[in-house]
Structures are given as structure tokens and as C-alpha cells.
Amino acid sequence: MESGGVIISTKPNQPEPLTMGAQVKDRLEEPVAEKNQERLFDYPDPTPHPHSPPHVTISMPSTPTGLNAEAMRNGFFGGDERLSAVHGFRDKRFDSFKTWSGRLERQISGFRGRTHDVEDEDRNSPKGEHTAAPPVARYFDALHGPELDKLKPLEHSVLPEDKLWPFLLRFPISSFGICLGVSSQAILWKTLATSPPTMFLHVTQFVNFALWCTALALTLCVSTTYAMKVVFYFEAVRREYYHPVRVNFFFAPWIACLFLCIGIPPSITDKLPSELWYVLMAPIFGLELKIYGQWMSGGERRLSKVANPSNHLAIVGNFVGALLGASMGLKEGPIFFFSVGLAHYIVLFVTLYQRLPTNETLPKELHPVFFLFVAAPSVAGVAWATIHGHFDTVSRIAYFIAMFLYASLVVRINFFRGVRFSLAWWAYTFPMTGAAIATIEYSAVVKNPFTQVLSLGLSAISTVTVTALLVSTIIHAFVLGDLFPNDLSIAIAEKPPRLSKRRINLICGTPERKKVDDDDE
Amino acid sequence: MESGGVIISTKPNQPEPLTMGAQVKDRLEEPVAEKNQERLFDYPDPTPHPHSPPHVTISMPSTPTGLNAEAMRNGFFGGDERLSAVHGFRDKRFDSFKTWSGRLERQISGFRGRTHDVEDEDRNSPKGEHTAAPPVARYFDALHGPELDKLKPLEHSVLPEDKLWPFLLRFPISSFGICLGVSSQAILWKTLATSPPTMFLHVTQFVNFALWCTALALTLCVSTTYAMKVVFYFEAVRREYYHPVRVNFFFAPWIACLFLCIGIPPSITDKLPSELWYVLMAPIFGLELKIYGQWMSGGERRLSKVANPSNHLAIVGNFVGALLGASMGLKEGPIFFFSVGLAHYIVLFVTLYQRLPTNETLPKELHPVFFLFVAAPSVAGVAWATIHGHFDTVSRIAYFIAMFLYASLVVRINFFRGVRFSLAWWAYTFPMTGAAIATIEYSAVVKNPFTQVLSLGLSAISTVTVTALLVSTIIHAFVLGDLFPNDLSIAIAEKPPRLSKRRINLICGTPERKKVDDDDE
Amino acid sequence: MESGGVIISTKPNQPEPLTMGAQVKDRLEEPVAEKNQERLFDYPDPTPHPHSPPHVTISMPSTPTGLNAEAMRNGFFGGDERLSAVHGFRDKRFDSFKTWSGRLERQISGFRGRTHDVEDEDRNSPKGEHTAAPPVARYFDALHGPELDKLKPLEHSVLPEDKLWPFLLRFPISSFGICLGVSSQAILWKTLATSPPTMFLHVTQFVNFALWCTALALTLCVSTTYAMKVVFYFEAVRREYYHPVRVNFFFAPWIACLFLCIGIPPSITDKLPSELWYVLMAPIFGLELKIYGQWMSGGERRLSKVANPSNHLAIVGNFVGALLGASMGLKEGPIFFFSVGLAHYIVLFVTLYQRLPTNETLPKELHPVFFLFVAAPSVAGVAWATIHGHFDTVSRIAYFIAMFLYASLVVRINFFRGVRFSLAWWAYTFPMTGAAIATIEYSAVVKNPFTQVLSLGLSAISTVTVTALLVSTIIHAFVLGDLFPNDLSIAIAEKPPRLSKRRINLICGTPERKKVDDDDE
């Protein structure tokens, strides 16, 4: 095991011994950069390791000093992963993330110990022996950007940065945002077609039907793909779950299902079985117990550390669930989720508004993620109206808060320039749709030209945004081919790179790495 | 006065001069450890002090260097306090906490200046001349544990750590928690016996009667004992009042009285005079003005510094008072306290959920204190229902929030392992009882098997917990005899021990003392 | 330009070249103290600057070292500004704040680019080229006091500290507080005269009429004066707008107008046109979009940094607007502003109660600014009652919260000793008036001796306070003549003075400047 850290990436067709999984896991826990520094002169190991003999050695560099992280980034390997697969070469650098690459019994014991690992994460991870997922502080140290998805300079990826990873590894949980965007559009067009204040538009219910079918197909598609990721790359899923921003997207699949239920075309069914509601709310309830508990019970995932607009995804499910339940005729269940949502929404709203000094990950520029602010109050208003049977003052308070926040974002619209497209944007469109739906509901009780124009305007903005995003997604998927870039946010090393401060200053020119060093001491 | 600091502890049978109280007070303000360091070589003082001549000298160590804090901990005195009392020896080390040990006029001036001292505490304490109570920062520096009741290593107690203190000094305000626990059980069994949804159980009202009488007796007993502490050891009470966690327990006596009023057996009376409510709410109102004012007006006791789940005790009194008042038929008063409680509950809930980085005293492991989270919303729900005459949506919102928090704690139950028993736990049982009562009230309006099972389940959990705690308390009181250990949290020295960092590292091995040193500079 | 920084202040009658405005602006951005240090020995510049030749040189000191900031404070110029104007001397040190002192085209481009500058302030200001207003951190570094209006020791003013500035430069936006105080009194006396519970007092409506006319005259007067400041000293207005405390007073003019509308004597009109409401709420809405957006979207003006009781002024406008709108018979608009106010009030209330450790500008002593805490809930209660047609439970909750906060402040009244009078105090009187009005409204529904005595008592306190303040203001204006002292809070230099730490310690004796130095690094 002593010499394995880098060798493994230079011998692609080395036969996999039975103990490989365990070895890779150990290797993963020893950051490569550090290892390189430690043994610049005793590498390559002249004595073959008894358990993993290097059968084939390809393009081993003559000077060992060249084989550092820097060199890995510059790329030894130009080959494509699919090519390797066809030719029988297997790139073992991804094995550490594969579920079935190691010994079966180890995996199974891993599955059994998982729940326990999650609970003990904060305590165990410093030891770094039993879990490969980095502690949450590492995510903040190693990543930047509003979605914490870009590697900071000097940080090292445990997966190769020079080549395209296997598709499943690059398929993030935020892909469910597409389902959110399209299924909420289905609801909007159902409302437009059936709601009294927009009846005069004579929108055909077919739009709702078509959008709903598309949303259903997309949800099935994304779910199947992500399920495959769970099966084949559990480690990657686990790292997404530990990612402080990405974890909130684990609510997205269930919210998408709730949206599908709400937007179901009247031609299919008018009445869904109430059992469905319980089935869909169960995982949301479970996730909430987990996530909110982490916020409160402290440790590295306390709310004051992980506060980010994407937390709204963890809140909005309550209101969407309350809305669906109330529209099904349930009463206590919806009020339960409404209450839980309300309590935690107040906490989150205050926390995000305060912008605590500890929360430094949010960028100064306004980012589409800010639109999530609009989601919770607009859905909450409609949910309360559905629970109570009419759009009363409480509904209006929630709706007006949403409208103010919307206006507050729209006047800052020029900040959106120069933001890199990301799949996660899809999740940021449903709040616009929600605001449009809430406005239509509101204009049903306060019918005047202003509310009608507002309904149409917000609906148009929402549909145009979704269309624009659809076009962008298609362009990125089929023209540019970069819809699913390497998901570096799951590939951060468990420990920070150990470099002398002098070298850091030479490379970066800024004391940006200061924080990481401080955390080490 | 120059040589008194340590000598006093070595001359137990020295007759007490009239000026002793003042001297001891001065001595208390000069930390012994520091003093020892300063005059390692001019001690023992060869010239007898004119005001406190050493009549009898017992076991004076030959080398003065041995007489440091370390040595005091290791124990010169093996004798028991009661033994000393019997044999006519008086241990003067406790005199500084005694109310009547010094000159009467000084004490009386102390009483007069007390209110003023409390207000000016933050400004005066650095001078350390007029008040013996340490500033709040010292409590955080010198103590640890979720209840801030364990002395950190290297910290020095101003009272002897080697022997058992007088009983009253060891009797903490948190003993009122027992009254809270038992009297809330009386309410639960009253509800079980009289509420329609649990009528089918045919619970006899005698259980309520017996529990209520027990609670009344306990409350009288604890109150009398604590009143004696107030009279005889006012300084100890004062230090408890300044303790950032302990101060919240000063609400407990009044809440216990409110519980007794709510749980009064119908056979005794159905209608309490409304004057009683005003009498009981007055001290709560006064304490709130004091405590909430400290939270807001800043200084060392600002909420962001003292936030701790035990603050819920300072909130829940409002809702209990509102509940009692409303059940008495009052209207405005209960709404007043409900409003005050609501406003400050929101503040506290958000603050505790955020887990601000400045608040580092809360342990990572879940502690029974977390159950206080359940108290306020469950009582608030019942109070609102009583004010408005029925369990409406607002009541449900409060109740459901309580239920979610309860569930959130229950799934973390495995964290409770390895927590040391403490009297304060009693205060953490009444939230469970409150949740059970709220569930019974809720199941009266939403009657179905689920709510009925939930009512019985929560009632059972609550009763079992209280019983288990009762058994523990009896074991600790009569078998182990450690129910009232030395209450180190009131005996911290006013100034941190001054030790070289090198010595600290030698002793502790960890840089744990860093914070204290930073605060000094 | 190299030698201009100090020369300009030594040549008062130098003719102004066309490029002066630009030059002064550049000079302003280079702190004089720093400049002096840098070129102690190459000054005065022997070669005349080609663009600004020194035509007349008056009292140039023989030794250049004498010409530092210290010397400027001690005062070269004893003359009064008005005197200078009469004699044809113009003090050019104020030109940098004058709107029309520079080239017209530059000013106009400045106007055009202003909105953009404001948005980009945080990013551009470090470059210090395009904006003269200091970044918000400078305000906190350079100023202290509860209203951030006193210069810290060692800080340098860009305007002369040794002489009285032009009146308009000394006329702060907080002068609108007088309008708030008097117009709210007009409302109180209208309520006293017309409300059923105080009808028995037979208060004549003439008091309301007289107060209202006074308030109207004052508002017109203050508005005209401030409008002139906007026209002639736009830079000063801009710096007030960037001042983290002062910016909240920009809501005061509009709130004063709302008060005038609410307090309009019934003899003038009973029914105001609803258009007026929209006209008055538009600027409040615009300011809120701006200010709340700054709180949320982070940067230097995030709420956790600028939180201060004066923020209540930014909230209370919503409730006053809701109250006026509802009393006009509108419904949706008032609920909109009520909702926006409620959401942000919760955020602000929690933030202020927490007293975050980052917010260190608030003094320990209670200051009249704390009375703003009472404003929002008392006005909100009345607004809700007006919207819903009766003083229901929600109104009571708001009203009781206000009463508790009022009581909480009153018991701390002894803290008010030794606070310097300031014009801003006027703004802190209207909360008392609001509480009195809310109590009268409350006593209309809960009529008993206690509420009636409370109504009269609070009304009396409010009127006495306003009268006392009026007397103070008149004394300060006409006897002491210091009602409008130099407004140092708008004259801070953009960069901190650069002094060696050793010299700071020599001068200050305390490490007070530490924070500034840390921020620099």
C-alpha cells in the first residue's frame, strides 16, 4: 500500500486483486499531493507490492518529481473513458467511487454501517479511517462559487481532472431541477386553463397535458439515471449528500413528484388517492428530520455555517406538500407540514437576511439561486388558501412577501450578467412559476386590471425563462456537449493540500488560502 | 490584609474578628493562585496581622511553595463539615458566601446597593472592588458542560474542592426542577382523568390528587430550603443568579406554582381567585424585564453570547401563565403574556437554531436539555386553545411544531448515552409531559386511532421518564449520597489563573486554555 | 496635482480653474494625513502646477512640517464662512462637497453615473477612483457613538474641523425627526379629542389643528432647506445616504408626510384622495427595495453589520402607510405594506435582540434610540385594527409586545443620564406618541380604569417629552447656538490615517485603532 497512491493512475490495465476496494479506499484518504511531497525520492517503488503487482507500466516518467498533482492536471492520458472501456482498458481511478469495485463483504458492511457513519460523521472524520467523505469544512475550504461547485486554486481533485469522467459520476442530483421546472410549468398551464381570472384567454388544457407528460417522462428518466448512480457509484452519491449546498437538492425528486400530482391533467384524474400523499411526504419528513436536526444540533453543519439560499429547497417541500394535501381534501397532515415549514422558514429567512459574517460562500453578485427566496412564501400563500378554502389575510401576507422579494430581485436584474450556465438553474425557475400561480389565485379574489396584467406578465416571464433555459440546456447538451461537466464538487480531497505559504503566495499572489491553513492549526 | 488570602484556610479555629466579612470579601476578589505566585518567598508572614492574629496554627507546611492551589486541591483537611461543627471547629473558608459572617452594617449597605450593582455589573466588575460576583465571561471561561457546572482544568475554586460543602451551598436553584416534573405529572393525570378522549381509560382522579399533594409538599420543602440559602448564603444565590445557565432556573419556582394551580384537583377547588394569577405572574414579569433586557441591551449577557436551550425556561413561563389565566377566565392578561412569550420565543428559537459560532458552550452530543425545545410550543398551543375556546389552526401550528421537534429529538435518542445524571434533568421532563397534555387536547378535536395511540404513548413515555428519574434521584440521594455534589459553578474565581502557556501545555496537553488567554489580552 | 492636497487649504483666494472640480475630487480621495507624511520635505512644491498656478499665497508656514493635519485642526483660519463670502474670499475647502463647483459636464456625468455607482459601490470603492464616498466599513472605523456621528481620535476630517461649516452642510437629514415628533403629536391630540375613551376629557380639536399647522410648516421648512442641500451640496447628501445609521432617516420625510395625512384636522377634510397614498408610498417602496436589498444581498451593508435600532425607521413606514391606507378605505395596498413590514420587522427584531458580536457600534448605555423599538409594534397593532375593523387578538399581540418593550425601557431609565443632546432625538419621541395612541385605541375596546389611566399617563409622558425636547431644541438653537454642529459623520476621509502603531499608542494610550489596522491588512 505504501506506493499505491499515484501508481494506480499509471497502470490502467493492471488486474484487479480482490483487496482492491479496501486499498483504493485507503488511498483515497491519503491526499495524493501530500504523499508526493513526502516521498519525492523513493518513488517509483523499486520493490513490487506483494498484493498489487504492477503488471503493465505505461509511460512512467523518468524523473519522479514530475509526477505531482500539477502534472496530473496537465494530463498524461488523452484517452476517452468510453474508448478505454471498448478496448478493455479500465481506468481504475474511478474505482474508489464505484459501489461494486471492491470486496463484496466490505461493501455490505459499509451499507450496514452507513447510518451510523452519517450520525458520527463529525466525530469520526478527523480520524479519516472509516469514512471517505470529507468533513463539511473541507467542502467550504476546497470549493467556491454560489453552488460550491468550483475547485479553488491549489486544491486537488481525487478524480482525474484531465479527462471526462463516466457519465453517471457527472450526473448530479441537481438534474432533478429540470423536473421541477417542467412540472411546475404544467401546473401553471393547468391553472391558466382552469382558473376563472384567466378563463378569458381560452388556454387549451392540452398544453397542460403535454407539459405534464413531458415532466413525467423527464422525471422517470432522471430518476432512473440517478438510481443507477446510487447503485453503481454510491460513494459519489454519498459525497453529494454531504455537500452543504447539494444536499438540499435531495428534496427535489420528491418535490417534483408532488408537482406532478398537483399538475395532473383533469382529463387523467380529478381525485388522487390520499395514500399517495403519505407515500410522497414520508421521505420528505425523513429528510427534514435529518437536515433540520443537523442545523440545530450543531457541529459542522449548523445553520449559521451552511446557510445558503438553496436551503429553501429544504423548506418549500413542506408548503408544496401542504398544498397538495389540502387540495386532496386532507386537513391535519397539510397543517402539520405547513407548521413545520413555517417554523423553519422563519429561521431560514432571518438567517439568510442577516447574512451572518460566518457565511461567506454566497457571492456578492446576484445569482439565480436568489429566486428561491420567492418560492416558499408564494407556495405558502396558495397552500394556506387551499387549507382554509379562501385567499384570506394570512394568504395575502405570504403572497405579498413573495411579491416584494420578487420585485427586490427584479430591480437587481443587471447583476445576472456573466453567470456561467448550470443545470441547477432549473431549480431556480419554479419559484417564478409559483409566483405566477399565486398571482392568478390572488387575482381570482381581487379582480382588477392590475392583478390581471400581473398574472399574465408573471406567467409570461416564467414561461419565457423556462423556454430560454430549455434552449440553453439543449445547446449545452448537444452543441457544446458540456451539460454534464466533471462534477468537481464531489471529488475534493479529504485533506487540504499541504504547501508552504511561500509557494502559495508565488502561485496565487493572494492570501486566499489563509483560511484553510488557519483551520489546520 | 496582606497575608490573609491563604492563611485563612490554614487556621480553622481562629476566632472571627468583627471585620472578617469585609476582609474575606477582599480576599475573594484576589485570586489565590495569583497571590501565591506573587509572594512565594515572603510567606508565612512572620509579623502577625494586627486585625486577625493567628491564634492557632495547624499543620503549616514547612516549604511555602507547597501551599499553592494544587496543594489545596490535594487536601490538607480530611475532616467533615458536620464534624467540625460538632467539635466547635468552624471552617471559615465558607464565610465569604455567608450572609451574616461579616459586619452587619456592611451587609446592609450591600443589600441596599445590590440593585445598583446588578445594573452596573458589566462596568464595575473589571475593577473588582465592589462586587464579588465574577463577570459573565468568567463563567464561560472557567466552566464547561451543557449546564456550565464543571470546572475546567487549571481553574481554581474559591471554595474548598476537597471536602463536602455545607448543604445549603450545595443546594442549587435547579432543585425546583423536581417540583416542575412532579407538578406537571399532576396536570397530566388530571387531564387523563377528565379529558373526553382518555375518559375510556377510567383513570381515577386520586392519582392527580396524590401527585398534586406530593408536588405541593416538594415545592414547599424546596422553597423553604432555598429560602434558607437566600438568608444564610446570599452570595451563593447571587452567583447562581449571575450564572448564565442557572439564572434561567430562577423562573422555575414560579412556573412550579403555576403548574400547581393548573393541576389542582377538582375535589379541592374548581375556581381559583384571579388575584392569585396576578400574584404569581408579577415575579415572572419582573424577571423577564430583567433577563430579556439583558439579552437586548447588550453587554456580556447579550443573547448571542448566553443562548442556550435552558433559556426556554425563561420563555415558557409566559405560556404557562397565559394558560392558567385563560383557564381562570381572564382574557387580556393571558394575551399579554402570550404576546411577550411569542415575540421572545421567535427570537430564541431562531437564535438557538442558528447555533451562532459565538455560542460554543452547547455540547455536540444531544443532552436532555434539548427537550426544553418541546416545552414552549406545546404549552403555547394549549394556551392559545384555552384563550380562544377551541383548538384552532394557530393552536395546531404550535402543537405540530412541538411534535416535529419531539420527533427530531427522538430519532437522535442514541446520543443520550453516557450523560452524567444531574438534578437539572427534572426540569427537562416537563416538556414531555406538556407534549402529552397537548396531544390529549388535540385528540379531543381530532379523534382517531392515531391521535389516541399518540396520547397514550406520550403520556406513558412521560410517566416512565419521571419514574425513572425519581428512582435515579432516590438512588443518588440515599444510596450513592451524591445528589447534591459541590456546586462548583458558583465557586469560580473572579480572575483566571495566571499560568505560563508552557505550563498549561505541560498539564493539559491541549491548547484548551487559549480562549481564556485571548480574553485576557 | 502632486502638491495640491494641502495647498488648496492655504490659498483661499486662488482663482478657481475650470478643472478644479475634478482636482478637488481627486484630492479628496487622497487622505491629507497620509500625504503629509509622505512628503514632509518636498513641500511646498517649488514648481507651480501648470493647471492650478498659485496666484496668491497667504501665510505659508516657514517650516513645512507644521502643515500637517494637527496644525489644520488648531486652525489657521479664524474667519467665518459668511464673512469670507461677504469679503469675496471663498473657502475652497468645501468645494469638494458642492454640486456646482466643478465643471458642469463632469457633474452631469456624475449624475448620470450615480445610480450605477451606488450599485457598484462595494466593488469600485477600493479603487477609489470614480466615487468619493467612503465605503461603509470606513464609517464604522472612523466614527463612534450610538448615531455614528463622532469622529474617533486620530481620524481626520476632509472638511475643516476648526471652523463652522456652511449651514446647509451642517443640516442633517435627521432634522426631519422634528417633523415626525410634532406631526405625531398632532395625531395624538386628534385621537384624544375624537376617541370615545378620552371623550370625557373634552379636549378641543383646536390643539390638533394648531399642532398640525405647526407640523406642516415645519415639514415645508425642513424639506425646502434639505432640498437646497440636495441641490447645492449633493456630495454631502450622498455621504449621508451612505452613512449606515443616517440612511434610515431618509424614510423620515415620507413618514412625516404620512403622519400629516393621518393627523389632518377633521375641520380641514375627512377624506383624502387615495391617489395621495400611492404618491407617498412610492418613494417608501423604492427606498425599501434599495435598503432591504442591501441587507439581504450582502456586501458591506449586510444586516448583520449595519444592524442598529435606527433601522426601525426603515420598517415603521410600512405600518404607518398601512394605517393611513386602511383609514382611507383601501385594503390590498395596506395589507401589502403590512406584510412587507412584518417580514422585515421579524428579521430586524431578532437581529437586534441577538446583538450579534459583529455589531459593536451600539453603546452599552441605553440611548433614546432604543425607544424606536416601541414604534413598529404599536403602529402595527393600530394598523391591523384599522385594516380589520376592530382591535382583535393580532392587534393585541402587537400592542402588548410594544407595551412590554416600553416597560423594559422605562425600568432602565436611569441609563439615560449623561447623553449628549442631538437633533436625532426628535425621531425617538414618536414611538412614545405611537404607544399612547395605541393605548387609547386599546382602551376603546377594553375599557377599565387601568387602561384609561394608562392612556392618559402615556399621552402625558409623550407630550411632556416632546415639550422638553422643544425647549432643549430652542435653547440649543438660540441660546447655545449649537443646534447644528459640524456634521463630522459626512466628512470622514476615505482612507484611514496611516500612523505607526507606536505613535497611536503614544497618543491614544489604548489599542482602540486595532480594528482599523486589521481591516487594512
Side-chain angles (χ1 to χ4, degrees), chain C residues 320-344:
Chain C
V320 179
L323 171 56
L324 176 64
S327 67
M328 278 172 167
L330 299 170
K331 189 157 168 62
E332 301 304 318
I335 297 179
F336 176 82
F337 280 101
F338 189 90
S339 310
V340 173
L342 181 68
H344 293 88

Side-chain angles (χ1 to χ4, degrees), chain B residues 78-276:
Chain B
D80 184 20
E81 188 256 348
R82 279 163 295 176
L83 199 75
S84 309
V86 169
H87 287 75
F89 292 103
R90 269 196 67 228
D91 191 337
K92 299 221 173 33
R93 291 176 296 175
F94 300 107
D95 279 3
S96 61
F97 279 56
K98 279 189 186 152
T99 310
W100 306 108
S101 66
R103 276 191 296 191
L104 193 64
E105 50 269 52
R106 183 178 171 86
Q107 291 300 324
I108 287 179
S109 73
F111 269 107
R112 276 196 196 131
R114 197 141 282 136
T115 322
H116 191 250
D117 274 354
V118 173
E119 299 281 349
D120 291 353
E121 176 226 345
D122 289 327
R123 265 172 293 171
N124 286 345
S125 46
K127 296 171 203 156
E129 284 300 321
H130 301 95
T131 169
V136 70
R138 279 294 298 143
Y139 286 98
F140 286 112
D141 287 348
L143 301 168
H144 66 143
E147 289 157 19
L148 277 184
D149 56 354
K150 292 178 225 162
L151 218 55
K152 281 188 187 164
L154 291 179
E155 279 292 339
H156 175 74
S157 163
V158 295
L159 295 184
E161 290 176 69
D162 55 320
K163 63 176 286 189
L164 209 59
W165 302 348
F167 176 72
L168 286 178
L169 270 185
R170 290 179 284 120
F171 189 78
I173 185 81
S174 29
S175 309
F176 281 100
I178 306 176
C179 312
L180 290 180
V182 179
S183 56
S184 62
Q185 279 292 312
I187 305 174
L188 173 63
W189 285 91
K190 181 182 179 183
T191 313
L192 281 174
T194 59
S195 186
T198 51
M199 208 69 107
F200 75 96
L201 292 169
H202 299 296
V203 172
T204 168
Q205 293 200 7
F206 177 73
V207 187
N208 162 240
F209 186 81
L211 281 167
W212 189 81
C213 292
T214 316
L216 184 68
L218 274 168
T219 308
L220 287 175
C221 202
V222 173
S223 303
T224 313
T225 316
Y226 203 79
M228 283 170 67
K229 184 174 177 181
V230 173
V231 172
F232 293 113
Y233 292 98
F234 191 88
E235 176 60 28
V237 174
R238 202 174 159 208
R239 278 164 168 258
E240 282 197 282
Y241 183 75
Y242 286 155
H243 188 286
V245 170
R246 206 62 77 73
V247 63
N248 298 298
F249 282 88
F250 279 81
F251 285 93
W254 318 107
I255 300 175
C257 292
L258 293 173
F259 277 167
L260 283 176
C261 291
I262 297 172
I264 198 164
S267 55
I268 294 179
T269 181
D270 268 346
K271 183 121 184 75
L272 288 164
S274 61
E275 288 75 21
L276 185 65

